[in-house]
Amino acid sequence: MYTAWLVPLTLVLAAATAAAQVTVQEYPLPSGLRVHDVWADSAPDGPVWFSAQRSGQLGRLDPRTGKVDLIPLGPDSAPHGVILDADGSPWLTDGGQNAIVRVDPKTKAVAKWALPQTRGYVNLNTAVFDRSGIHWFTGQNGVYGRLDPRTGDLKVFDAPKGRGPYGIHATPEGVVYYASLAGSHIARIDAATNQATVVEPPTPGQGARRVWSDSKGVVWVSEWNSGQLSRYDPRTGEWRQWKAPGARPRVYAVYVDETDKVWVSEWTGQVMLRFDPTTEKFEAFKSSSGTADVRQIHGRKGEVWTPESAPDKLVVYRYR
Amino acid sequence: MAALTLALLVGLWWGSASAQEGERVFQRCYACHSFDPAERGLSGPTLRGIFGRRAGALDGFDYSQPLREAGRHGLVWSAETLDRFLEDPEALVEGVRMGGVRLRDATERRALIRWLQNAAK
């Protein structure tokens, strides 16, 4: 295991369009990791875990000290997503190893569930746990699947429209949705039948990349091709869309915080945007990085964490 | 004569096996790349006609700045440059967006590139 202490940088930035202040703190990581996804433990000041795709490692940041631990996952590892289970253990969707990987947070022992060889390479992307503890995952080559951690039972299913399954999330009721980037749709998974049903957004070819549910089960979608943030209400079937500010925006990641404000990363302007569904306004925030390339967003009460893949940093936006 | 026939058969078998292996390895690229220039919704550019093409230069595709710069400084895709790129994209083009994706196995890279030389025509 590799350990590093790097000096965090704190900035206090005023939002470009709002009076509310947001504190931005940056944690540099060892260079060359190509941090991809991030997951913050829900405990205040708890560890923040991240996937290091290029180096094939799981990372753990202690935000109180800036200490970074790196845990190697295997010689062919290239992890994309990282999430925590109810016990605080990190799980990775490891495209390089074509396996679901769990790391024991205390012993750092690595356990793997390889995908069936008959499925070939699926390009594992992202995962989420539903309320019953089933681990649902996507594979960009055109699959989604489920792993029961209690039994090790792993099943892989063909996605209804082929390649593209990318971000995945569950509503508070436990309904799982995923976004299909190449397929430009979202899909709802019925956990009882394992069937995925396509839900077509109104904008053709929008490039739905990631999804996140708010506290009421409304599904928010980041659209890469159209540069929109969109909203799907499963109760009414209604869609709404808002174009991100700036010329030719590209919206990569989406996350909904505990106040039901929606955060997205926008790549043309290289900014973080916070969207208030009540006022329907975006506020823009930037770290000190010229190019951040934020590929995913996660958070906990009062904090939104971003992995900046270009400069290899973790950045936290603290708000009240 | 028998030796020549055997050599030809081995050659044919090897070519076929290598092509199959290349197609299998391409599954690592499939999520983001296709050979159909009309397929616009993917994260990566079409691979049709990639050999001999300047890096970051395909009209209509939104490349990252580092890849455009590399092309402007003379990076052209060939079997040799693709081999270096696939082994570690960041080592050839620092800051490229697919920097986290590496094909470390040289035999797999060779098979993929041989297969691409036909598939990408």
Side-chain angles (χ1 to χ4, degrees):
Chain A
M1 190 174 74
Y2 171 94
T3 300
W5 281 268
L6 296 151
V7 181
L9 169 70
T10 303
L11 306 168
V12 179
L13 298 180
T17 58
Q21 273 206 337
V22 171
T23 306
V24 183
Q25 185 168 12
E26 305 183 7
Y27 293 88
L29 302 172
S31 63
L33 301 183
R34 288 300 167 252
V35 55
H36 203 289
D37 281 16
V38 69
W39 198 272
D41 190 295
S42 59
D45 287 333
V48 179
W49 300 86
F50 59 92
S51 54
Q53 192 180 41
R54 180 172 179 242
S55 62
Q57 292 166 310
L58 168 69
R60 180 191 185 277
L61 168 76
D62 181 344
R64 293 167 301 186
T65 62
K67 182 187 171 202
V68 174
D69 295 321
L70 295 170
I71 301 153
L73 301 172
D76 296 321
S77 173
H80 189 283
V82 60
I83 61 173
L84 294 186
D85 65 18
D87 299 328
S89 298
W91 292 71
L92 299 109
T93 26
D94 194 332
Q97 302 195 86
N98 208 33
I100 308 297
V101 173
R102 175 189 178 272
V103 177
D104 186 305
K106 290 193 177 73
T107 66
K108 311 295 188 287
V110 176
K112 296 173 193 174
W113 289 263
L115 267 69
Q117 286 196 338
T118 51
R119 277 283 169 178
Y121 182 79
V122 304
N123 205 338
L124 284 166
N125 191 281
T126 312
V128 71
F129 285 97
D130 69 13
R131 285 208 311 184
S132 61
I134 298 295
H135 175 282
W136 293 91
F137 57 87
T138 55
Q140 254 190 291
N141 279 14
V143 304
Y144 64 97
R146 56 178 286 164
L147 167 64
D148 185 339
R150 290 157 293 209
T151 64
D153 180 44
L154 191 155
K155 292 188 171 69
V156 182
F157 310 101
D158 291 323
K161 288 192 168 185
R163 72 176 145 194
Y166 204 96
I168 188 167
H169 198 238
T171 68
E173 296 80 29
V175 181
V176 176
Y177 286 83
Y178 70 79
S180 175
L181 174 58
S184 281
H185 63 262
I186 65 169
R188 179 181 56 247
I189 299 174
D190 181 336
T193 64
N194 300 323
Q195 293 288 311
T197 303
V198 170
V199 183
E200 293 280 2
T203 307
Q206 79 298 132
R209 189 155 207 152
R210 291 194 185 263
V211 286
W212 208 276
S213 169
D214 68 17
S215 66
K216 300 174 186 68
V218 169
V219 180
W220 293 83
V221 186
S222 50
E223 298 180 357
W224 176 251
N225 297 338
S226 70
Q228 296 178 147
L229 168 64
S230 66
R231 173 191 188 274
Y232 170 68
D233 188 337
R235 289 163 301 191
T236 63
E238 183 198 23
W239 282 90
R240 289 197 65 192
Q241 303 83 29
W242 296 268
K243 189 94 165 179
R248 299 184 59 208
R250 295 278 200 179
V251 180
Y252 198 116
V254 61
Y255 168 77
V256 184
D257 70 22
E258 77 281 2
T259 67
D260 275 346
K261 293 202 172 51
V262 187
W263 296 72
V264 297
S265 57
E266 196 285 297
W267 279 41
T268 304
Q270 289 291 331
V271 292
M272 286 296 297
L273 299 170
R274 181 170 64 176
F275 180 76
D276 185 337
T278 308
T279 62
E280 302 186 20
K281 302 285 188 202
F282 287 98
E283 299 169 80
F285 304 95
K286 271 183 85 70
S287 71
S288 68
S289 309
T291 301
D293 288 356
V294 173
R295 297 172 193 261
Q296 191 248 0
I297 310 166
H298 191 247
R300 56 191 172 200
K301 190 176 180 187
E303 295 182 352
V304 160
W305 285 84
T306 63
E308 294 196 347
S309 63
D312 273 327
K313 285 181 192 170
L314 295 186
V315 176
V316 56
Y317 297 79
R318 295 194 175 93
Y319 51 89
R320 275 178 288 184
Chain B
M1 186 64 185
L4 182 62
T5 305
L6 181 63
L8 278 170
L9 285 172
V10 168
L12 284 170
W13 171 82
W14 173 250
S16 167
S18 178
Q20 282 180 10
E21 175 67 356
E23 188 170 16
R24 184 189 69 76
V25 178
F26 179 71
Q27 290 307 301
R28 291 185 175 260
C29 323
Y30 169 78
C32 300
H33 296 281
S34 85
F35 300 104
D36 179 2
E39 199 167 5
R40 297 270 176 174
L42 300 178
S43 304
T46 178
L47 298 180
R48 173 79 58 209
I50 187 172
F51 290 95
R53 192 162 78 204
R54 193 157 52 84
L58 195 64
D59 283 344
F61 188 79
D62 188 15
Y63 291 96
S64 61
Q65 193 63 24
L67 203 58
R68 287 184 193 279
E69 286 293 321
R72 277 197 281 271
H73 287 90
L75 177 61
V76 173
W77 296 123
S78 64
E80 190 266 332
T81 55
L82 266 181
D83 184 62
R84 289 170 57 200
F85 186 73
L86 292 170
E87 182 181 13
D88 186 357
E90 285 270 355
L92 188 64
V93 183
E94 190 178 354
V96 68
R97 281 181 185 162
M98 65 171 276
V101 182
R102 302 171 68 175
L103 197 51
R104 293 179 170 94
D105 187 307
T107 307
E108 288 192 332
R109 290 199 305 277
R110 213 161 32 241
L112 173 62
I113 290 165
R114 282 186 65 169
W115 181 77
L116 281 173
Q117 283 170 326
N118 273 325
K121 276 181 185 168

